């Protein structure tokens, strides 16, 4: 009998190891994530990337090599690989982290590259963005520099629903630079409270208040407010 707990643990471990392998091999292709789906014909693997052509390779050569690696080292039965693009790559923290790491490796100044990254994220509609670059960025002593714009949640339930975080590594002559990107997606926070505004009276509309109603039977008067 199959141990249910062991089955799901093994399934999750396989996905984590596969994700780490693809992130290390294809960060230049702006790798964004992977899904593993078990089918009667084998195992379907969906790879998301900002530049799918670099993963597919010329004539599908890279895909064929990946299929052999997945079957031999990850024990995936008959892997069928699909590489697809992602919607709104500027709102994907992993894609933007890899872009920033590649820019640093090409020689861009870290502060300029970080400003460009934040600008692209905010122009895509994000509520906020935070970029942290660490390493020997200005001297022989390692330190970090943080750039932030907008609203970035650090605690609460919003972390699970609105925040996307990713870390990347850039290898330069002074050493290894670490890159961390946090993106607050353009969603409505659960705890956001807004007050409903009373609509202003339209042109030509007359509002009457403090009206006296006279009861002919009793001869008395009553105050009422109406509009």
């Amino acid at each position: 009998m199959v141990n249910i707990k062991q089955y799901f643990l093994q399934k999750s471990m396989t996905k984590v190891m596969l994700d780490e392998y693809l992130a290390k091999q294809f960060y230049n292709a702006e790798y964004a994530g992977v899904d593993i789906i078990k089918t009667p014909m084998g195992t379907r693997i969906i790879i998301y990337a900002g530049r799918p052509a670099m993963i597919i390779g010329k004539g599908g050569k890279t895909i064929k090599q990946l299929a052999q690696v997945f079957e031999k080292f990850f024990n995936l039965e008959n892997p069928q690989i699909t590489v697809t693009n992602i919607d709104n790559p500027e709102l994907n923290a992993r894609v933007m982290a890899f872009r920033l790491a590649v820019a640093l490796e090409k020689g861009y100044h870290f502060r300029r590259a970080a400003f460009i990254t934040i600008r692209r994220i905010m122009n895509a509609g994000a509520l906020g963005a935070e970029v942290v670059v660490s390493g020997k960025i200005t001297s022989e002593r390692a330190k970090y520099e943080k750039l932030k714009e907008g609203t970035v949640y650090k605690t609460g339930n919003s972390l699970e629903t609105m925040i996307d975080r990713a870390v990347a590594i850039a290898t330069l002559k002074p050493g290894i630079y670490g890159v961390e990107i946090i993106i607050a997606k353009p969603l409505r926070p659960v705890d956001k409270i807004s007050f409903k505004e009373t609509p202003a009276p339209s042109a030509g509309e007359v509002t009457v208040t403090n009206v006296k109603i006279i009861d002919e039977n009793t001869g008395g008067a009553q105050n009422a407010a109406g509009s």
Side-chain angles (χ1 to χ4, degrees), residues 118 121-122 126-132 146-156 158-159 162-165 180-185:
I118 288 183
I121 294 173
M122 297 304 294
L127 295 179
E130 181 177 292
V131 176
V132 181
K146 181 188 299 183
L147 303 175
K148 178 182 175 183
E149 185 174 347
T151 302
V152 178
Y153 297 94
K154 295 297 182 68
T155 59
S158 299
L159 291 177
M162 298 181 60
I163 296 299
D164 190 13
R165 175 183 175 273
E180 179 185 9
I181 290 184
I182 302 175
I183 299 176
K185 296 181 180 180

Side-chain angles (χ1 to χ4, degrees), residues 52-226:
M54 295 187 65
I55 299 180
I56 295 173
K58 187 176 181 180
K61 181 180 179 181
T62 308
I63 287 291
K64 296 176 182 177
Q65 294 177 351
L66 282 177
Q68 296 176 359
V69 171
F70 293 163
E71 189 172 6
K72 182 177 180 180
F73 296 100
F74 295 95
N75 298 323
L76 298 178
E77 181 182 357
N78 189 20
Q80 302 170 3
I81 304 174
T82 302
V83 184
T84 182
N85 209 335
I86 58 175
D87 298 330
N88 296 326
E90 286 77 16
L91 295 179
N92 188 290
R94 178 173 265 179
V95 170
M96 299 308 294
F98 286 150
R99 285 184 181 180
L100 180 54
V102 171
L104 293 176
E105 291 179 347
K106 289 182 178 180
Y108 286 89
H109 191 267
F110 74 94
R111 194 175 289 111
R112 179 173 181 267
F115 273 122
I116 294 175
T117 300
I118 288 183
R119 191 182 308 120
R120 289 179 177 176
I121 294 173
M122 297 304 294
N123 290 340
L127 295 179
E130 181 177 292
V131 176
V132 181
V133 181
S134 58
K136 297 179 181 179
I137 52 181
T138 57
S139 63
E140 289 297 324
R141 186 174 182 179
K143 63 177 184 178
Y144 73 92
E145 187 159 330
K146 181 188 299 183
L147 303 175
K148 178 182 175 183
E149 185 174 347
T151 302
V152 178
Y153 297 94
K154 295 297 182 68
T155 59
N157 186 59
S158 299
L159 291 177
E160 299 179 0
T161 58
M162 298 181 60
I163 296 299
D164 190 13
R165 175 183 175 273
V167 176
I169 295 176
T171 305
L172 287 81
K173 289 183 179 179
I176 294 178
Y177 283 22
V179 174
E180 179 185 9
I181 290 184
I182 302 175
I183 299 176
K185 296 181 180 180
L187 302 175
R188 184 180 183 275
V190 179
D191 57 349
K192 184 177 181 180
I193 300 176
S194 58
F195 295 96
K196 185 177 180 181
E197 298 182 358
T198 304
S202 58
E205 182 179 348
V206 179
T207 301
V208 181
T209 59
N210 297 329
V211 179
K212 287 186 177 181
I213 300 177
I214 301 175
D215 191 345
E216 296 180 355
N217 297 327
T218 61
Q222 298 178 347
N223 291 331

Side-chain angles (χ1 to χ4, degrees), residues 30-51:
E30 300 175 2
Y31 168 76
V34 64
D35 285 333
I36 303 176
I37 303 173
K38 188 71 176 179
T39 65
M41 300 297 295
T43 306
R44 185 183 179 191
I45 302 171
I46 305 175
I47 302 175
Y48 302 95
R51 303 170 68 182

